């Protein structure tokens, strides 16, 4: 069974879920993550979204997002193409949110 769990302050998401969301073989997920080809971000909800978390996985020009609660129940899921990602500054002279 594919699961999402919150253990010791960290979300653990089965490779089957990440692979399906990004359109890649689940068997490749761990290796691609280790090699930095799949990256992820976890954001904690605030205000009316308290108790929710957005987990975003990136691979190439794809982003796969899950909105989950602390128990790992999926509230929303989406996948979309994104522009080629640049370094941490998101381009020369450009600030986040600009």
């Amino acid at each position: 069974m594919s699961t999402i769990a919150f253990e010791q302050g960290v979300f653990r998401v089965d490779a089957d879920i990440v692979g399906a969301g990004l359109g890649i073989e689940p068997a490749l997920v761990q290796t691609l993550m280790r090699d930095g080809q799949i990256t992820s971000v976890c954001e904690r909800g605030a205000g009316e979204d308290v108790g929710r978390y957005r987990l975003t996985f990136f691979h190439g020009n794809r982003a796969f997002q899950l909105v989950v609660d602390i128990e790992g129940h999926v509230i929303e899921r989406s996948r979309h193409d994104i522009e080629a990602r640049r370094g941490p500054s998101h381009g020369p002279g450009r600030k986040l949110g600009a």
Side-chain angles (χ1 to χ4, degrees), residues 21-98:
L22 292 173
I24 59 174
E25 290 295 321
L28 299 175
V29 170
Q30 189 173 22
T31 299
L32 291 172
M33 289 187 97
R34 195 175 307 124
D35 292 344
Q37 294 181 46
I38 294 177
T39 57
S40 61
V41 174
C42 176
E43 300 168 278
R44 185 180 346 187
E48 65 185 42
D49 291 325
V50 166
R52 293 182 180 194
Y53 297 81
R54 181 169 50 207
L55 311 175
T56 307
F57 298 88
F58 300 96
H59 180 255
N61 68 336
R62 285 197 180 139
F64 170 56
Q65 292 185 327
L66 294 166
V67 175
V68 301
D69 63 18
I70 196 69
E71 295 171 352
H73 299 115
V74 176
I75 298 165
E76 292 178 40
R77 70 176 65 216
S78 65
R79 180 171 104 179
H80 54 276
D81 292 334
I82 56 174
E83 289 185 36
R85 294 185 315 146
R86 301 178 200 160
S89 67
H90 300 280
R94 186 170 172 202
K95 295 181 182 178
L96 291 175

Side-chain angles (χ1 to χ4, degrees), residues 8-21:
Q8 300 177 2
V10 177
F11 277 99
R12 299 194 189 283
V13 182
D14 281 355
D16 291 340
I17 295 171
V18 176

